Amino acid sequence: MLQSKFTRKRSGLVAITAASALMLGACAGEGESSGDAGLAPAVQEGVGAGYVVDYSQYGDAYAGTLTVTDVPGMCSYEEMSKKDYSGQNLRVLSHVPPVLGEPAELHARQFEELTGATVTVEQVPFPDIFSKSQLSFQTGVNAYDVIFGGSQWLGDFHSYYAVVPEVYLENSELADSTDLVKQIAQWNGETKLYSIDADRHYLKYRTDVYSDAVAQTAYQEAYGAELAVPTTWTEYNRQAQFFTDTYAGGGWSPTNQPEGIDFYGSVEVMARDNLMFSAFISRVAPYAKHPDVQGGFWFDENMVPQVNNPGFVRGLEDFVEAVNFVPPGYSSFGLAEEIGSFGKGEAMFSYTWDDAYVEANQASSLIRESVAAAPLPGAEEVWNRVSGEWETVSGGVNYAPYISWGWTAAVTEASPVKTLAFDYLCFFGNKANHTIDLTIGRFGVNPARAENFDAAFWTEQAGWAPQAAESYIDTLNTYETNTNRVFDLRVPGNGEFYTAMANGVAEALAGQKTPQDALDDVAAEWESIIERIGADAIKDSYQAVIRLEDNLD
Amino acid sequence: MNKLYGRLFLFPGLLTLIAIIIFPLLFTIALTFSNWSVANAGFDWVGGRNWAAMAVNERFWAAMLRLVPLSFLTVFIQYVLGFAIALVAWRGIAARRFFRVLWLVPMMTTPVVMSVVWKSIFNETVGPVNDVIVGLGFSPIAWLSETTPAVVAIMVAEIWQWTPFMFLLLLAGLLSLPREPFLAASIDGAGPVRTFLQVTLPMMAPVSIGAIIIRLIEASKIFDTVYAMTNGGPGSSTETPTYYIYLTGLRNFDLANGATLSITYLLVFIALLTIIAQVLTRLSKPRGV
């Protein structure tokens, strides 16, 4: 539709602009790599029934990773080795390693060896995936066959993505995806995203603090309340601050605290352009997502932004408070830093994605026996945007888990090698690869299929402690059934909306503005974005989000 | 006939000029009057809407003001340090050639790589700067998490990287100075300070102005250091115009607004640098001549 606006004359101009913009984009920093193009045999020796998948042959980074036997199926090693894609090129746009970029590259190499295809994986920072995709689509240069990215961009890109063929939906591992994952992959009833991951934010905590008698007594004396895993953000902040101060005061540290590692209350993603918007949404959701209010979390029925309503402001106030109990250098803390920090035992709490939890449970982790998972904290009261009042829900605590996009992949509609592209994705997510990928925290691949929701898998195959595995699966299961969930703003201009929000939140974190002023400015910017893009276009797309929020599908 | 040949020979050069300078500039100007954004790929005419939005865009103008410390002040410090080092090298020191090469090393390293190195140096937990500060008995500084320290950290990285450029130009200028004025000053009994102020400095004025203007043009486009060290943070406190334009135009794909900000930046700096060059030229002229 959009491309039809171009005239022939303009397309020449556009090509030059595209070239210039691509050069500019390149300046922003990217890495490009390609595998052993054309040299690989179409059928790799030794790939047949019972083939043992062992990543360790791909370098020291994979020493000690799980090895599994290839699982028969249309995407298996055995089946892929029967295909011959020699002479065909696949262009993949992915995230920088390790999160998703590393498995994308690893599976590209494996796929090349099995099929003889040439796979070029371009790896760029998260926001650049969006801009590079957009540039490719708008200018019609068709630079990529496969794009890995966040599902929240579906509102922008659905018309450029190919529908996933039925054969993959029915016969591949996609069929085992949970209902929630299947819903997220769809746009107006058509599956446009190839799900390789499912994401939700949840709480990770150190069990050796809660089982520590000294910590229990000290907390009881300070607050007159029993030390228990926080059920609200208020409790979360209070405990995080208390144990940060207690540790800093000297004389106490968690029972299993690794030597030489300082201890802080919480580690959070606070780097402005590095997924901080997601952490903020988790902080805000229980204050602003009322279970009885339907018709929009992000906007009301008249497309008035809700980003500065009292619920959002309260969440931001909590987030700002967290600056006092996170490790130094918070403004540079992106997802990778959060994973590393919690994984090495630097914090009592962490939330956002699974990766930090998987990292903390890996064999090399020094806190492996001392972590557990729980649902995200809730709020004692929630803002009702219809009544304009704070309200308390039945049960006392309002929970509103954030289903934070999830890595997905899509094959572009304009790709000349769609079958090859879908086969690559199919191979990426085959049972053997998916099983191993789940256990490597830095990969960013998390449970998305029914078979993954089994504590026995995590204890027996991944070697997790029973409490870690059971609390993890229990937590994930509550998210599948919760009906007060928050989803991403999957509308045209998602990147602009989130960038504006992240900037406002960052300004509040840095003390440049009060939370209210910062979010008022965000709301004003959102209104100008709506005006620029068009309220009708955004409203149309937002209806699909509301269907998810209000459980209408 | 000869005239025709002459014009024909000029044609390829002219065509290249139009293709790589005139056309992109006109295209960008045209973009500023359009609604080309993430959802609207095309030249939908919107009149002066983008220009009106630019005029009241507080974030953009705050980023422009931020260039006062991040570019203007750093260039001034680079000039002072570069001049001092050039004077030392000019006067002659032991192992002069070795030191000349050593002083050039920062400039020859890749800016974005060095920015990452500086980010590690200023790391608030494991960085050596805080180690030294704590070792001296002071509290660690939140180098990249608080506004003023973050600005200082970026300034340090910029000064370290680009002082050698100043050194190189100023040393070349010093080496090209005639000896006679210095001999005359010496015969008149002028000391080193007076010789510097009344002979060296005035004679170095043309080179100094050139070096300062060249560096100002470059420094005002500061991007890589900010991108690698702070991403414009904490908050937006180290966001520069080029970084903001990058976010607007390439990350958000709001090409129309990005183009408007780019053209505004271009116009402002053409005007500003013209004024600065004229002021410096006037100041450098000997009084009473």
Side-chain angles (χ1 to χ4, degrees):
Chain A
M1 282 288 283
L2 294 173
Q3 283 180 329
S4 66
K5 290 182 178 179
F6 289 96
T7 64
R8 284 186 176 178
K9 276 184 182 177
R10 281 175 184 164
S11 63
L13 306 183
V14 166
I16 294 172
T17 314
S20 310
L22 278 169
M23 287 170 68
L24 278 170
C27 294
E30 64 182 53
E32 191 171 298
S33 57
S34 66
D36 304 322
L39 299 175
V43 178
Q44 192 185 31
E45 196 179 338
V47 174
Y51 176 71
V52 175
V53 182
D54 182 359
Y55 289 0
S56 65
Q57 62 184 295
Y58 294 97
D60 293 343
Y62 302 108
T65 52
L66 191 66
T67 56
V68 299
T69 304
D70 188 26
V71 181
M74 67 177 282
C75 310
S76 67
Y77 279 75
E78 183 183 7
E79 287 304 313
M80 285 298 155
S81 71
K82 294 174 186 169
K83 302 198 175 193
D84 185 0
Y85 285 125
S86 302
Q88 294 194 46
N89 299 317
L90 185 70
R91 302 156 302 165
V92 178
L93 179 64
S94 174
H95 190 241
V96 287
V99 180
L100 203 76
E102 191 176 339
E105 175 66 32
L106 172 67
H107 297 320
R109 287 177 59 197
Q110 294 166 327
F111 189 73
E112 283 179 335
E113 289 165 5
L114 291 169
T115 67
T118 301
V119 185
T120 305
V121 182
E122 188 179 329
Q123 297 162 324
V124 301
F126 184 73
D128 292 343
I129 300 176
F130 179 85
S131 52
K132 279 182 170 282
S133 305
Q134 186 67 281
L135 195 65
S136 171
F137 294 143
Q138 281 204 0
T139 57
V141 295
N142 182 31
Y144 308 107
D145 303 301
V146 172
I147 295 175
F148 287 97
S151 63
Q152 77 270 33
W153 298 333
L154 194 54
D156 286 301
F157 294 154
H158 60 87
S159 61
Y160 301 109
Y161 288 163
V163 175
V164 180
E166 283 294 318
V167 65
Y168 294 96
L169 294 175
E170 291 171 0
N171 299 326
S172 75
E173 284 74 358
L174 284 185
D176 193 34
S177 299
T178 65
D179 289 344
L180 179 61
V181 172
K182 286 176 182 169
Q183 284 172 1
I184 288 172
Q186 290 179 358
W187 187 263
N188 286 338
E190 289 183 318
T191 301
K192 294 258 179 163
L193 299 175
Y194 200 106
S195 301
I196 51 175
D197 169 49
D199 284 332
R200 54 251 121 180
H201 285 185
Y202 59 90
L203 177 67
K204 298 115 204 173
Y205 64 92
R206 289 282 293 275
T207 54
D208 54 338
V209 174
Y210 291 95
S211 60
D212 185 324
V214 175
Q216 290 170 358
T217 308
Y219 189 79
Q220 176 83 33
E221 284 174 3
Y223 293 104
E226 188 185 341
L227 178 62
V229 178
T231 55
T232 66
W233 284 112
T234 307
E235 289 175 5
Y236 178 103
N237 278 15
R238 186 191 300 148
Q239 292 183 15
Q241 184 71 67
F242 178 77
F243 287 105
T244 299
D245 295 343
T246 305
Y247 176 83
W252 176 85
S253 65
T255 315
N256 297 329
Q257 184 62 12
E259 202 172 326
I261 303 290
D262 282 333
F263 184 72
Y264 298 89
S266 174
V267 56
E268 314 197 17
V269 179
M270 289 179 160
R272 184 182 69 174
D273 298 328
N274 197 340
L275 306 176
M276 178 258 267
F277 66 86
S278 280
F280 171 65
I281 295 169
S282 278
R283 281 276 191 174
V284 156
Y287 289 115
K289 177 75 167 71
H290 197 296
D292 300 330
V293 174
Q294 300 213 319
F297 169 75
W298 297 103
F299 303 104
D300 70 7
E301 291 76 1
N302 300 314
M303 292 304 289
V304 174
Q306 294 300 300
V307 71
N308 62 337
N309 76 28
F312 276 79
V313 174
R314 180 79 70 88
L316 180 53
E317 285 168 353
D318 280 357
F319 200 29
V320 170
E321 207 174 277
V323 167
N324 299 316
F325 47 73
V326 294
Y330 73 86
S331 68
S332 307
F333 266 61
L335 178 59
E337 287 76 15
E338 186 204 40
I339 295 170
S341 178
F342 186 78
K344 71 179 179 185
E346 199 173 31
M348 177 172 171
F349 296 132
S350 165
Y351 56 97
T352 77
W353 296 270
D354 304 47
D355 317 315
Y357 194 64
V358 177
E359 184 84 2
N361 277 295
Q362 286 188 166
S364 57
S365 170
L366 297 173
I367 56 166
R368 196 181 199 194
E369 304 292 323
S370 308
V371 289
L376 274 182
E380 300 87 345
E381 51 183 4
V382 56
W383 179 253
N384 184 328
R385 67 169 174 79
V386 176
S387 67
E389 290 178 355
W390 286 100
E391 292 174 0
T392 304
V393 299
S394 62
V397 176
N398 182 49
Y399 291 100
Y402 168 40
I403 309 303
S404 49
W405 43 285
W407 287 113
T408 54
V411 172
T412 57
E413 183 63 47
S415 168
V417 289
K418 285 199 193 72
T419 306
L420 167 62
F422 277 115
D423 272 352
Y424 165 71
L425 291 175
C426 187
F427 172 75
F428 183 113
N430 75 30
K431 281 199 176 186
N433 286 340
H434 185 67
T435 301
I436 303 172
D437 293 352
L438 282 172
T439 64
I440 303 176
R442 64 180 188 276
F443 274 19
V445 176
N446 306 130
R449 301 170 187 167
E451 66 170 2
N452 304 145
F453 289 69
D454 177 11
F457 165 77
W458 298 95
T459 52
E460 291 166 12
Q461 299 219 47
W464 289 15
Q467 72 168 9
E470 283 157 17
S471 63
Y472 180 56
I473 296 304
D474 287 349
T475 301
L476 299 194
N477 277 325
T478 64
Y479 284 34
E480 290 293 316
T481 53
N482 189 302
T483 54
N484 191 34
R485 297 174 295 202
V486 168
F487 292 84
D488 281 296
L489 184 54
R490 308 203 303 179
V491 299
N494 165 276
E496 278 195 80
F497 285 112
Y498 276 6
T499 301
M501 184 170 75
N503 187 62
V505 173
E507 287 180 330
L509 289 176
Q512 290 177 284
K513 292 177 182 170
T514 65
Q516 183 70 63
D517 288 347
L519 292 181
D520 284 347
D521 288 348
V522 174
E525 199 167 339
W526 277 28
E527 280 172 358
S528 69
I529 295 168
I530 293 169
E531 190 186 341
R532 221 170 30 243
I533 293 176
D536 291 341
I538 295 173
K539 194 170 186 176
D540 281 350
S541 296
Y542 189 50
Q543 296 311 306
V545 182
I546 291 174
R547 295 192 69 78
L548 291 171
E549 287 173 354
D550 295 347
N551 307 290
L552 300 177
D553 288 325
Chain B
M1 198 64 180
N2 281 343
K3 270 190 176 177
L4 181 66
Y5 276 132
R7 282 174 187 165
L8 277 176
F9 281 120
L10 275 177
F11 189 68
L14 194 66
L15 208 62
T16 309
L17 186 75
I18 290 171
I20 65 173
I21 296 178
I22 308 292
F23 170 72
L25 186 64
L26 292 177
F27 188 84
T28 308
I29 292 170
L31 267 179
T32 70
F33 297 101
S34 78
N35 188 28
W36 195 322
S37 69
V38 67
N40 304 293
F43 279 106
D44 298 340
W45 173 262
V46 294
R49 193 179 80 183
N50 296 320
W51 290 95
M54 176 275 300
V56 296
N57 188 332
E58 290 176 13
R59 192 169 159 188
F60 175 65
W61 293 110
M64 290 287 256
L65 269 180
R66 225 163 267 134
L67 290 179
V68 172
L70 290 176
S71 299
F72 290 79
L73 187 55
T74 53
V75 169
F76 175 73
I77 296 171
Q78 287 163 22
Y79 174 72
V80 172
L81 289 176
F83 209 153
I85 299 168
L87 282 171
V88 172
W90 181 49
R91 288 290 177 199
I93 54 170
R96 181 164 55 183
R97 284 190 179 174
F98 169 74
F99 280 110
R100 275 189 195 171
V101 174
L102 190 68
W103 280 324
L104 292 179
V105 166
M107 191 181 74
M108 293 159 76
T109 54
T110 312
V112 75
V113 172
M114 286 321 299
S115 301
V116 173
V117 171
W118 277 105
K119 185 179 180 181
S120 307
I121 291 172
F122 283 112
N123 185 293
E124 291 158 35
T125 314
V126 295
V129 176
N130 266 355
D131 283 349
V132 171
I133 290 172
V134 172
L136 293 172
F138 298 102
S139 298
I141 295 172
W143 285 108
L144 303 175
S145 303
E146 287 180 6
T147 301
T148 306
V151 170
V152 171
I154 289 174
M155 286 176 67
V156 169
E158 280 286 295
I159 291 165
W160 180 86
Q161 179 105 47
W162 294 111
T163 296
F165 179 80
M166 283 288 189
F167 158 73
L168 197 65
L169 287 187
L170 295 169
L171 180 63
L174 287 168
L175 290 171
S176 67
L177 294 181
R179 291 183 167 218
E180 292 76 9
F182 294 98
L183 284 172
S186 176
I187 290 165
D188 288 347
V193 175
R194 197 166 173 196
T195 304
F196 174 75
L197 292 174
Q198 296 195 340
V199 180
T200 315
L201 204 55
M203 286 202 297
M204 283 292 288
V207 177
S208 298
I209 292 169
I212 289 170
I213 294 297
I214 290 170
R215 274 301 304 138
L216 276 179
I217 291 169
E218 279 302 306
S220 62
K221 291 187 285 189
I222 178 173
F223 176 86
D224 33 24
T225 313
V226 171
Y227 179 86
M229 286 182 73
T230 63
N231 274 134
S236 56
S237 56
T238 57
E239 199 170 80
T240 57
T242 42
Y243 189 74
Y244 180 54
I245 291 167
Y246 158 74
L247 290 180
T248 305
L250 287 181
R251 281 211 172 164
N252 292 343
F253 218 78
D254 186 356
L255 289 181
N257 270 316
T260 311
L261 300 177
S262 296
I263 295 294
T264 305
Y265 168 84
L266 181 69
L267 294 174
V268 168
F269 267 84
I270 286 174
L272 202 60
L273 291 173
T274 305
I275 293 167
I276 290 171
Q278 287 192 343
V279 169
L280 288 176
T281 306
R282 218 170 263 184
L283 286 174
S284 68
K285 276 185 181 167
R287 299 217 173 124
V289 176

